[in-house]
Amino acid sequence: MIEADVQKLAGRAYRGEAVRAIAMPLGGIGTGQVSLCGDGGLRQWQIFNQSNHLAFVPDSFFALRAGSAPGPSGGITRILQSETALALPFLDTPLINDDIVPAQQRALIERFGGVTETVFTSRYPFAHIDYRFDAWPVSVQLDAFSPFVPLDSADSSLPAAHFRFTVRNTSLATVWGALGATLKNVVGWDTISPIEGNANPGFGGNVNVIDREGNRTSIVMEQPGLAWNDPYRGQLALSTSQPDPIVLPAWNSPSDFIGAMERFDFGADPPGAAPDPMIPVGVHRMRARASMELARSQQPHPSPPGHTANGGLLLPFVLEPGEARELDVLLSWSFPNFYVNYDQPTPNFREELTRSRLWLGNAYSTRYANAIATARDVFDRLDDLRQRSQTWTDAVLSSSLPTWLADFLLSQGALIRSPTIFQTADGKLYGFEGTQGASTSMLGWKGFGGSCPLNCTHVWEYEQALSRLFPDLERTMRETDFDYVQAPEGYIPHRTLLPLFVKQLWGCPIGGPTNPALDGMLSTVLKTWREIRQGAGPDWAARYWPNVRHLMRYISATWDPDGDGVLAGEQPNTYDIEFYGTNMLIGSLWLAALRASEAYATQQGDETFAQEMRALFERGSEAYDRLLWNGEYYIQTLGPDDPREQQYLTGCLADQLIGQWWAHQLDLGYLLPRDRVKKTLESILAYNLREGFEGYDPEERAFANGDDVGLLIIAWPAGGRPDRPTRYHDEVWTGIEYQVAAHCIYEGLVDEGLRLMEAVRARYDGAKRNPFNDIECGDHYARAMSGWTVLEALAGYRYDATALALAFDPVLSTSPARFPFVAGTGWGTASIDASGVCELRLMEGSLTLAQLGLPSGAGGKTASKNGSPLEASEHNGVYCFDRTLEMVAGDVLTLH
């Protein structure tokens, strides 16, 4: 089970076997990532415009030398990676590869030794590693992060990872030592072919140049001979802000670098050296050697064909007893030439798109000319970027959520910044379903690249985290849907082709399923109304109303020609097949889309269409409930001519009420009788939740095993399972589990929802699976971003920018009930204590409010902003301010 809470603000600690599968991605939104693993190693190098979970850059590591006496024989050098983790027995968890340690990393530790163990503490975007090694007279800790600030997509999209090591003298004597940071110049590498030592066919002419500016020292790594438009052209930079580091810009093997660390003398100054009061005693000789190294290395020496060189920094320190030193290292990168390098889902254009070089570019490259420009900006603003990121992390960890759940909510940000998502040079955001890995290679995929491209409407109908944390980026996906992908007839294919100037998938077989997914189209209506409620603005809403109206007209004419409110015929969906007859997966989304269309039409002044949508909803709601309710849940019914294969009939479908989950988020009310909605969820938990998967043999993929607990997609408690049931029926998908858990909480089944969440996160405990990598058809699967709604359900949070309305109704019995919230243009924290006092504190951005909804008994008759009284009237728990309230960062609204 999940380990007990540690001190809340510290985050969740993983130790022992739990570090085995830890791999936290570092890097910004759409910039590519490198993962810091639980053992302290850097793996999953995916910063080169290609996703490959097994991509490994050898000879890129951190090391430390420390001793209680100066000179070459006065210290012990170790690689900052865990020997204990390396010795953990192999755990045969299916469909994961986060625990794979490359042979070159193993050889490095076996040759030079590592630390005894590591304790990895997660507080995303921060990773904290405590290195345990008793032979040193120092303690060593690492804090690594890439800036992450909700609603600030620019500063959350930096192609950089910062590493801060804190070394503290725990002995009673002076300690001499140095931190080593290394990086291989891999510019020119395709990320797929193996690197053997310094050899790879993509290398040759690589140069490492030293760049200094103020206190910043960088090793800049390039391959200047590559053409300006070469897909592998780019720049890496290994930088530090420490004064006078020792630079080893070109070395061949780890023995060279470790040998250099061990040869440097931390003792007496060179003869004739003048004391410098600004430099600690004992560092003068080191500084002199550093100057010689720099002098020898100013002129780059291109590497021979097929080979490259490594670069490294040594950061010396001298510590008196009890003294600590912070040592900063920054990795930054720039690879601007992103081309379409994945298989596009269409036979009509596959040959042309494969032969052509179709440039997409990277948004971050329009902001930073190269890796040095990124390093300069990050170091200039490091304290601010760190503080703003930490403010977000602290807000989540100090909330009423238990630590394990707060850790999960923070990890939703890691999915947003995984290789599943990219942002092209024009600023538009795109997402695969996931990235290829062990779960896709078994299906015959090549094992690298994005899986199931692109912007899949039916998988992304579950995603909510991106829409809340970075709504400006989410809106670009809707703009793509309507401006480029929507067909003249009104329908929207569920996959997007790039570049956008190519003909989209109109009238073509798509794949997964063959024809445009109906659930994806219905969810596009819901997503659009969501974006408007999140603050897209009146101009944006007016611009896309004709598109939504056209889409709903198409859906009605195609699947409900008789106007009875029930959709029939072939209904392609997220299970990569087609449902037929009457079913509640499509039905609940249809009912929610009708309500959202009604609200949207009313906002746009189209009362005739609004009334039409309302009438269809009322007919449909009554009919779906009458036709499908079996007393415990909603089933599927087929017509006499409908196919029976790939259907579920009397089965209990886990996500049959996904439309109601959407409706709760969008304040659309109940789509079906409230008591039957709750009973359905109770039935899903009773029939679909499996405890233990020992010996379980699903038809395709095993996402749970051993003593795991998971929610099966379909169960047949009363029999009636078809001979060939719905595809994936015997699998467990975290995105659906999170959706069901949140919906349970919305319906008052709070304990049940939390137990389901705890069971899922126990599967992703670090020992068996990576807590930063939900797996389905690929790694970092987009559907899992449904998890964000667990927070909103627990907080009873609702936001509607069109009405300037915010509401909270917490369901956890804690006092005070405290939660973070992200409301379109600003984010902050809300707390309600046992006496009913409510405090709303805005941390970033701005927020305009006309009304605030609170639970019964909270608030009162007195309101103030920053201590100044406000006039407000209350009715049924909704407080309306006499004047529109404008809040900016730092403002505190109190009702008491």
Side-chain angles (χ1 to χ4, degrees):
M1 292 298 291
I2 291 175
E3 122 183 37
D5 288 356
V6 296
Q7 185 179 3
K8 288 204 70 173
L9 281 180
R12 182 180 173 192
Y14 298 82
R15 54 173 56 88
E17 287 198 351
V19 305
R20 180 194 341 249
I22 294 283
M24 178 189 282
L26 299 173
I29 302 171
T31 68
Q33 288 75 33
V34 58
S35 291
L36 177 64
C37 298
D39 61 2
L42 295 175
R43 300 197 286 272
Q44 300 177 6
W45 288 80
Q46 302 177 97
I47 62 176
F48 310 104
N49 299 320
Q50 181 61 276
S51 55
N52 178 9
H53 237 227
L54 298 180
F56 181 65
V57 177
D59 302 340
S60 301
F61 57 85
F62 298 108
L64 190 89
R65 178 172 177 79
S68 56
S73 61
I76 298 174
T77 304
R78 288 291 187 272
I79 307 297
L80 289 175
Q81 294 174 25
S82 169
E83 293 179 343
T84 300
L86 202 67
L88 286 173
F90 178 70
L91 188 63
D92 189 18
T93 304
L95 306 185
I96 75 157
N97 57 24
D98 290 290
D99 60 333
I100 292 178
V101 179
Q104 290 157 303
Q105 180 182 339
R106 289 184 176 275
L108 181 73
I109 305 303
E110 290 166 359
R111 170 69 178 81
F112 299 104
V115 298
T116 305
E117 66 172 335
T118 51
V119 177
F120 186 103
T121 302
S122 163
R123 50 194 318 271
Y124 189 84
F126 296 91
H128 178 88
I129 297 182
D130 185 9
Y131 302 94
R132 307 286 175 84
F133 185 61
D134 292 340
W136 275 332
V138 297
S139 65
V140 187
Q141 297 177 328
L142 165 64
D143 286 286
F145 89 116
S146 295
F148 185 93
V149 183
L151 304 179
D152 190 339
S153 58
D155 280 350
S156 300
S157 303
L158 301 180
H162 182 261
F163 304 88
R164 172 168 290 172
F165 292 87
T166 301
V167 184
R168 182 179 300 277
N169 184 349
T170 57
S171 73
L172 300 177
T174 303
V175 170
W176 288 261
L179 173 74
T182 74
L183 180 65
K184 186 183 295 294
N185 182 343
V186 290
V187 177
W189 182 41
D190 63 3
T191 77
I192 307 301
S193 57
I195 300 173
E196 301 293 345
N198 287 338
N200 182 270
F203 297 156
N206 294 63
V207 295
N208 296 349
V209 179
I210 298 170
D211 182 270
R212 303 193 71 160
E213 182 182 31
N215 278 341
R216 177 184 57 78
T217 300
S218 302
I219 304 176
V220 184
M221 300 180 176
E222 297 178 300
Q223 192 183 138
L226 293 175
W228 66 272
N229 61 347
D230 191 288
Y232 307 123
R233 183 181 177 92
Q235 187 183 85
L236 291 164
L238 183 66
S239 308
T240 182
S241 57
Q242 304 304 118
D244 296 308
I246 298 169
V247 184
L248 302 173
W251 46 273
N252 290 319
S253 71
S255 297
D256 297 334
F257 185 81
I258 299 300
M261 289 188 75
E262 294 178 340
R263 284 194 306 272
F264 280 118
D265 190 345
F266 297 87
D269 300 331
D276 184 340
M278 300 302 293
I279 300 177
V281 175
V283 179
H284 298 131
R285 187 170 183 180
M286 178 75 78
R287 185 180 186 188
R289 286 173 179 256
S291 299
M292 290 189 291
E293 293 289 340
L294 286 170
R296 288 199 297 266
S297 306
Q298 289 302 315
Q299 296 301 317
H301 301 284
S303 63
H307 291 79
T308 189
N310 309 295
L313 300 170
L314 285 177
L315 310 183
F317 55 83
V318 178
L319 300 175
E320 299 303 321
E323 186 181 3
R325 183 75 50 81
E326 291 181 344
L327 305 169
D328 287 1
V329 176
L330 183 75
L331 170 65
S332 56
W333 58 88
S334 177
F335 292 89
N337 293 324
F338 176 35
Y339 293 87
V340 173
N341 56 11
Y342 52 88
D343 292 333
Q344 304 229 47
T346 166
N348 294 5
F349 301 101
R350 183 166 296 152
E351 185 174 345
E352 292 89 336
L353 295 180
T354 300
R355 289 180 177 177
S356 301
R357 178 176 283 186
L358 299 171
W359 188 85
L360 303 175
N362 282 311
Y364 74 80
S365 297
T366 66
R367 184 179 180 190
Y368 297 106
N370 49 39
I372 283 298
T374 300
R376 182 183 300 116
D377 183 44
V378 171
F379 276 131
D380 285 347
R381 301 189 296 127
L382 180 60
D383 290 342
D384 180 63
L385 292 170
R386 175 179 286 274
Q387 181 57 54
R388 294 170 67 208
S389 301
Q390 185 169 311
T391 299
W392 165 247
T393 304
D394 288 349
V396 177
L397 288 170
S398 64
S399 71
S400 298
L401 302 173
T403 301
W404 66 266
L405 187 53
D407 182 54
F408 162 72
L409 261 299
L410 289 171
S411 74
Q412 290 273 288
L415 291 171
I416 294 173
R417 302 208 295 186
S418 73
T420 294
I421 291 175
F422 62 91
Q423 189 179 14
T424 50
D426 60 4
K428 293 185 181 298
L429 194 83
Y430 299 93
F432 299 98
E433 290 185 22
T435 55
Q436 293 188 46
S439 64
T440 56
S441 59
M442 68 170 293
L443 301 176
W445 291 45
K446 54 193 175 185
F448 58 86
S451 65
C452 308
L454 195 63
N455 286 17
C456 179
T457 60
H458 63 70
V459 167
W460 281 76
E461 75 196 23
Y462 294 78
E463 174 273 315
Q464 301 296 341
L466 174 66
S467 73
R468 307 302 203 278
L469 292 165
F470 303 101
D472 59 326
L473 298 180
E474 181 79 46
R475 284 196 295 271
T476 71
M477 300 182 80
R478 301 293 79 72
E479 292 160 7
T480 298
D481 288 338
F482 293 126
D483 293 342
Y484 298 94
V485 184
Q486 188 172 24
E489 296 88 343
Y491 68 86
I492 298 179
H494 55 274
R495 302 197 190 279
T496 298
L497 296 182
L498 290 183
L500 291 172
F501 60 73
V502 305
K503 183 182 177 183
Q504 295 299 315
L505 293 164
W506 299 341
C508 303
I510 302 173
T514 301
N515 295 317
L518 177 55
D519 57 344
M521 285 186 264
L522 294 168
S523 71
T524 299
V525 175
L526 297 167
K527 295 170 195 171
T528 307
W529 185 235
R530 175 190 65 191
E531 269 59 281
I532 293 167
R533 285 172 56 94
Q534 283 288 103
D539 292 343
W540 195 93
R543 175 182 173 184
Y544 291 112
W545 168 239
N547 298 80
V548 170
R549 194 178 193 275
H550 192 28
L551 174 59
M552 288 299 287
R553 283 279 188 226
Y554 176 85
I555 293 171
S556 298
T558 304
W559 284 280
D560 185 24
D562 59 4
D564 67 352
V566 177
L567 305 187
E570 178 190 310
Q571 299 162 57
N573 60 70
T574 196
Y575 295 107
D576 296 341
I577 49 89
E578 301 77 25
F579 285 155
Y580 288 86
T582 309
N583 67 89
M584 197 54 85
L585 174 78
I586 299 298
S588 67
L589 286 168
W590 164 240
L591 295 175
L594 287 170
R595 293 287 286 117
S597 298
E598 177 193 352
Y600 197 173
T602 299
Q603 187 216 39
Q604 293 299 307
D606 192 341
E607 285 300 329
T608 299
F609 194 80
Q611 292 172 11
E612 179 183 341
M613 294 295 99
R614 182 69 185 192
L616 271 176
F617 167 76
E618 291 176 351
R619 290 195 293 273
S621 176
E622 185 279 331
Y624 273 103
D625 182 64
R626 171 172 44 83
L627 294 170
L628 301 182
W629 178 248
N630 75 347
E632 293 186 291
Y633 56 88
Y634 292 94
I635 61 172
Q636 177 191 24
T637 62
L638 298 177
D641 299 325
D642 288 332
R644 263 52 181 173
E645 291 187 345
Q646 300 281 15
Q647 308 306 299
Y648 64 93
L649 302 178
T650 60
C652 183
L653 184 70
D655 58 345
Q656 60 186 278
L657 292 181
I658 182 176
Q660 185 63 66
W661 172 69
W662 267 102
H664 285 314
Q665 296 173 62
L666 301 180
D667 276 333
L668 299 176
Y670 274 90
L671 311 177
L672 297 157
R674 182 173 186 170
D675 59 334
R676 294 186 176 182
V677 168
K678 184 174 182 179
K679 178 61 178 178
T680 297
L681 288 170
E682 291 173 337
S683 299
I684 291 169
L685 294 177
Y687 298 136
N688 296 55
L689 192 65
R690 181 183 176 96
E691 298 189 11
F693 285 80
E694 197 69 49
Y696 191 70
D697 187 21
E699 290 184 5
E700 294 192 55
R701 301 168 300 190
F703 297 115
N705 70 319
D707 60 357
D708 287 337
V709 176
L711 195 71
L712 295 174
I713 287 174
I714 308 176
W716 284 270
R721 169 177 163 163
D723 292 336
R724 189 183 175 198
T726 303
R727 192 177 186 187
Y728 312 129
H729 63 277
D730 51 5
E731 297 181 0
V732 296
W733 295 352
T734 61
I736 289 178
E737 292 172 305
Y738 300 151
Q739 175 254 313
V740 171
H743 193 180
C744 284
I745 296 167
Y746 278 127
E747 301 300 339
L749 301 172
V750 179
D751 292 341
E752 293 86 342
L754 289 175
R755 281 198 295 270
L756 176 57
M757 283 297 302
E758 190 168 7
V760 180
R761 296 317 293 173
R763 299 204 307 265
Y764 286 81
D765 63 351
K768 299 175 70 173
R769 296 173 183 86
N770 181 6
F772 305 101
N773 178 19
D774 289 73
I775 297 171
E776 196 186 305
C777 188
D779 294 296
H780 309 288
Y781 205 72
R783 196 189 313 267
M785 285 185 276
S786 63
W788 185 258
T789 57
V790 173
L791 168 65
E792 295 184 347
L794 289 170
Y797 163 89
R798 299 183 308 280
Y799 174 64
D800 182 5
T802 67
L804 305 180
L806 185 64
F808 297 92
D809 191 3
V811 298
L812 288 179
S813 57
T814 59
S815 182
R818 182 183 296 112
F819 295 93
F821 68 91
V822 186
T825 56
W827 78 265
T829 59
S831 66
I832 303 174
D833 67 18
S835 65
V837 175
C838 173
E839 180 182 275
L840 199 70
R841 185 180 298 270
L842 199 67
M843 310 303 291
E844 287 238 358
S846 62
L847 186 61
T848 303
L849 288 179
Q851 55 183 276
L852 177 64
L854 296 173
S856 175
K861 296 183 178 180
T862 306
S864 64
K865 173 186 167 186
N866 302 331
S868 299
L870 295 172
E871 295 295 328
S873 58
E874 184 268 341
H875 180 68
N876 291 333
V878 177
Y879 292 79
C880 296
F881 302 103
D882 288 0
R883 295 182 180 179
T884 300
L885 180 63
E886 303 287 345
M887 297 183 69
V888 297
D891 283 350
V892 179
L893 171 65
T894 307
L895 287 91
H896 52 85

